Amino acid sequence: MESRVKPGFNGVSGASDSRRGYMGAAAAVRRKPQVDGCSVALRVFILAATLVAAVLMGVDRQTSTVQVTIADALPPLKVPVTAKWSYSSAFVYFVVANAMACAFSVVSLAACRSRSAVLPLMIGDLVMLALLFSAVGASAQFGILGERGNSHVQWGKVCHVYNKFCERAMAAVIVSLIAAFTNLVHLMLAILDIHKNSSYY
């Protein structure tokens, strides 16, 4: 008597189909994720902006002649005084923070195709975001102090003497602020993308 076996009834064909399905799923997991063009463009912009901000502040220097009065009976002395970014701890922190953000952008661009790097990159983005905003705040406060002075502690304004130095510092702060907001937008888009693709919602 001829036995007839229905396909998939005794698990022979079904096991083969399941095996193919598992192999296809494993291949899909091993396949590298597609690179988001918008994310890459934002990271490239952050890299360029933080690099420009760090370089602008790092080369900021100006020497001006300041009149110093020793005694009322003597004529004032003209002394050359140099203003440099490294003389301010706020500006040093600004250069270091922007350099770190620039270096992280290079690393993130190299690792953006790795699925396992998604969480570390998001944590790094949060850290860089905090660094950039704190550096911008500290440098802006120091710049305002140089522009307006502080009469309560008898600190005079100096930007009328070192106008080019203050202008370059202000330009660096503005560029870094734009980079910080771009980083914020990029992080928000990444969170929304994960939320949209999550199976829990």
Side-chain angles (χ1 to χ4, degrees):
M1 183 175 182
E2 184 181 357
S3 61
R4 297 181 180 179
V5 180
K6 294 182 179 180
F9 182 75
N10 60 352
V12 175
S13 178
S16 178
D17 293 340
S18 299
R19 193 177 298 110
R20 286 195 297 267
Y22 289 138
M23 291 176 63
V29 171
R30 290 193 300 267
R31 190 181 302 119
K32 291 183 179 180
Q34 294 182 354
V35 178
D36 186 5
C38 180
S39 175
V40 172
L42 289 175
R43 288 194 183 277
V44 170
F45 180 81
I46 294 170
L47 188 156
T50 51
L51 178 62
V52 169
V55 171
L56 273 177
M57 187 66 78
V59 300
D60 196 6
R61 179 175 180 173
Q62 182 181 359
T63 301
S64 296
T65 302
V66 179
Q67 292 185 354
V68 178
T69 302
I70 299 177
D72 295 336
L74 298 175
L77 296 177
K78 294 183 178 181
V79 180
V81 181
T82 300
K84 194 176 180 181
W85 66 275
S86 58
Y87 298 160
S88 166
S89 57
F91 289 165
V92 172
Y93 176 60
F94 179 89
V95 173
V96 172
N98 279 271
M100 291 178 61
C102 181
F104 176 78
S105 297
V106 175
V107 174
S108 63
L109 285 172
C112 63
R113 290 187 63 87
S114 175
R115 189 181 299 273
S116 60
V118 173
L119 182 59
L121 287 180
M122 290 191 66
I123 295 175
D125 286 331
L126 283 172
V127 174
M128 294 303 111
L129 184 66
L131 278 177
L132 287 177
F133 274 115
S134 61
V136 166
S139 300
Q141 187 275 337
F142 190 79
I144 293 174
L145 184 63
E147 178 70 27
R148 301 179 181 178
N150 191 328
S151 58
H152 299 287
V153 292
Q154 301 299 319
W155 288 348
K157 54 185 179 179
V158 296
C159 281
H160 66 289
V161 179
Y162 304 101
N163 54 347
K164 293 182 180 179
F165 176 84
C166 292
E167 289 174 359
R168 285 192 290 264
M170 181 178 63
V173 170
I174 292 175
V175 173
S176 183
L177 181 61
I178 295 173
F181 275 111
T182 305
N183 197 1
L184 176 61
V185 171
H186 175 266
L187 188 59
M188 292 174 61
L189 291 177
I191 294 173
L192 289 175
D193 185 63
I194 292 176
H195 178 79
K196 181 178 64 176
N197 296 328
S198 176
S199 59
Y200 294 99
Y201 300 97

